[in-house]
């Protein structure tokens, strides 16, 4: 089993978590809809992740829907005290699987109760408000109303901390006027660097930045430069992509997703991969700040 301690720790929701965590979205069926093809394999991935030292798991009740949380409950309940589970609210799946905005008070209250029930918890460590102003990426607009509802649920003791996902720097700043923001979860990886300034700002504030699609998401990263660096280091491209994120900023927490124990082991082993400066320089050239992403 890989030793993930070398990835280091960072504070999340008042707890210290390993910087190499796990994202559970891939445990649902195709298109993150319905049950997985192999439920036993999904359970095995979660159990091995936690046995390997992962103590930060990202999920949502809208994965499946309900499926991913129910698998987490079956695999891990009762959860270890040191495990931080982060979930999301703000979306509901249509019958066709589409991701619809669910920002009303009733929908947000329901989402928190659905997460509590399906995860088998009395209180959720972190609930991210996933902005759905534009499903595809951050878009300016007020999140005051839905964030205020989550802050009320926090005051009622159902939620420990609140985070934001798919948001702009302005929405983070505005959100801090309503409640403490424990973490920000946006799209960021070797090839997608729109958030360079936000990562730095959050690092200065001691706030966790949790990139989603750290491996490129549904279409894993492909780049000749990435493959060349991996070959030279005797590592895999996915390990190099994760190691690049780890060295990028100490407040970056990783939640790579996989439905396979083999890929999980490979990804966790990235904790031990140290990138030489020249490799970092090569990898830095794959993506550029400002949103463009060259396929080097
Ligand atoms: N806030 C948001 O809007 C949002 C959006 C998307 C995701 N998320 C969260 O972020 C987490 C990570 O994102 P993600 O899972 O979508 O994408 P990801 O981690 O970038 O990549 C997952 C994909 O890479 C494959 N993969 C994983 N390890 C691999 C390896 N070692 N070699 C080759 N292929 C590998 C997986 O397939 P296999 O299953 O075959 O390994 C899967 O297709 C999710 O699980 C979810 O918790 C949040």
């Amino acid at each position: 089993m890989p030793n993930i301690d070398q990835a280091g720790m960072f504070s999340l929701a008042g707890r210290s978590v390993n910087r190499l965590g796990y994202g559970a979205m891939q445990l649902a069926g195709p298109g993150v809809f319905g049950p997985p093809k192999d439920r036993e394999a999904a359970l095995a991935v979660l159990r091995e992740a936690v046995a390997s030292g992962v103590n930060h798991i990202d999920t949502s009740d809208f994965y499946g829907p309900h499926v991913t949380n129910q698998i987490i409950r079956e695999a891990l309940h009762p959860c270890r005290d040191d495990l931080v589970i982060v979930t999301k609210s703000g979306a509901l799946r249509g019958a066709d699987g589409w991701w619809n905005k669910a920002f009303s008070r009733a929908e947000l209250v329901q989402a928190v109760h659905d997460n509590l029930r399906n995860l088998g918890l009395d209180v959720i460590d972190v609930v991210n408000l996933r902005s759905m102003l534009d499903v595809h990426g951050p878009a300016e607009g007020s999140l005051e109303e839905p964030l205020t509802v989550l802050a009320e649920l926090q005051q009622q003791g159902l939620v420990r901390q609140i985070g934001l996902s798919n948001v702009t720097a302005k929405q983070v700043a505005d959100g801090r006027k309503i409640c403490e923001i424990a973490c920000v979860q946006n799209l960021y990886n070797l090839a997608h660097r729109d958030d360079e300034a936000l990562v730095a700002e959050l690092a200065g504030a001691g706030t966790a930045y949790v990139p989603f699609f750290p491996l490129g998401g549904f279409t894993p990263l492909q780049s000749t430069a990435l493959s060349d660096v991996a070959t030279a280091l005797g590592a895999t491209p996915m390990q190099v992509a994760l190691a690049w994120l780890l060295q990028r900023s100490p407040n970056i927490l990783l939640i790579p997703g996989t439905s396979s124990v083999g890929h999980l082991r490979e990804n966790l082993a990235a904790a031990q991969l140290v990138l030489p400066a020249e490799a970092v320089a090569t990898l830095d050239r794959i993506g550029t700040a400002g949103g463009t992403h060259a396929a080097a």
Side-chain angles (χ1 to χ4, degrees):
M1 245 179 235
N3 176 1
I4 64 170
D5 291 351
Q6 275 172 258
M9 312 286 282
F10 195 78
S11 174
L12 177 63
R15 319 253 286 280
S16 193
V17 297
N18 201 296
R19 293 182 62 214
L20 244 171
Y22 173 72
M25 189 174 90
Q26 304 296 336
L27 298 183
V32 202
F33 206 57
K37 274 182 275 190
D38 186 342
R39 192 178 176 90
E40 288 306 314
L43 294 167
V45 168
L46 282 163
R47 289 177 179 141
E48 173 133 351
V50 170
S52 302
V54 166
N55 58 6
H56 168 209
I57 293 180
D58 186 79
T59 184
S60 173
D61 210 63
F62 50 71
Y63 296 161
H66 314 304
V67 171
T68 298
N69 280 349
Q70 290 168 355
I71 293 173
I72 291 174
R73 179 183 183 151
E74 184 177 340
L76 304 179
H77 197 270
C79 289
R80 278 169 35 170
D81 287 347
D82 68 338
L83 179 64
V84 175
I85 296 184
V86 179
T87 189
K88 299 171 205 75
S89 59
L92 270 183
R93 308 297 290 280
D96 57 356
W98 187 243
W99 312 74
N100 298 307
K101 182 173 147 191
F103 272 13
S104 73
R105 170 176 291 276
E107 287 166 327
L108 291 163
V109 170
Q110 183 70 48
V112 166
H113 283 281
D114 284 348
N115 275 286
L116 285 167
R117 186 183 64 258
N118 286 313
L119 287 166
L121 299 172
D122 297 326
V123 53
I124 305 172
D125 294 314
V126 184
V127 175
N128 284 331
L129 176 67
R130 206 288 185 185
S131 175
M132 297 295 289
L133 298 178
D134 179 347
V135 69
H136 299 293
E140 292 296 359
S142 176
L143 298 174
E144 182 178 347
E145 280 189 28
L147 204 50
T148 300
V149 174
L150 288 186
E152 287 171 16
L153 294 166
Q154 183 183 28
Q155 281 151 22
Q156 290 167 22
L158 300 177
V159 173
R160 283 203 180 92
Q161 296 269 314
I162 294 168
L164 289 170
S165 177
N166 194 38
V167 289
T168 66
K170 179 175 185 329
Q171 287 164 334
V172 176
D174 290 346
R176 286 184 180 128
K177 295 172 195 157
I178 298 170
C179 58
E180 185 184 339
I181 301 299
C183 52
V184 173
Q185 185 175 123
N186 277 3
L187 170 57
Y188 182 82
N189 59 38
L190 254 179
H192 292 79
R193 313 258 190 97
D194 290 11
D195 271 356
E196 296 285 16
L198 182 57
V199 171
E201 192 271 319
L202 294 171
T207 303
Y209 181 88
V210 187
F212 72 76
F213 293 163
L215 301 174
F218 294 102
T219 312
L221 293 164
Q222 282 187 312
S223 148
T224 306
L226 174 60
S227 297
D228 289 349
V229 168
T231 303
L233 296 175
T236 68
M238 297 298 105
Q239 289 173 328
V240 172
L242 295 173
W244 180 84
L245 285 166
L246 284 174
Q247 63 77 44
R248 176 66 192 79
S249 184
N251 64 326
I252 290 185
L253 302 183
L254 301 187
I255 51 165
T258 180
S259 55
S260 128
V261 168
H263 284 168
L264 174 77
R265 287 181 187 152
E266 179 184 326
N267 297 344
L268 296 183
Q272 286 154 293
L273 182 62
V274 178
L275 299 178
E278 57 274 24
V280 172
T282 302
L283 296 166
D284 282 348
R285 287 193 289 275
I286 292 176
T288 55
T292 51
H293 30 94

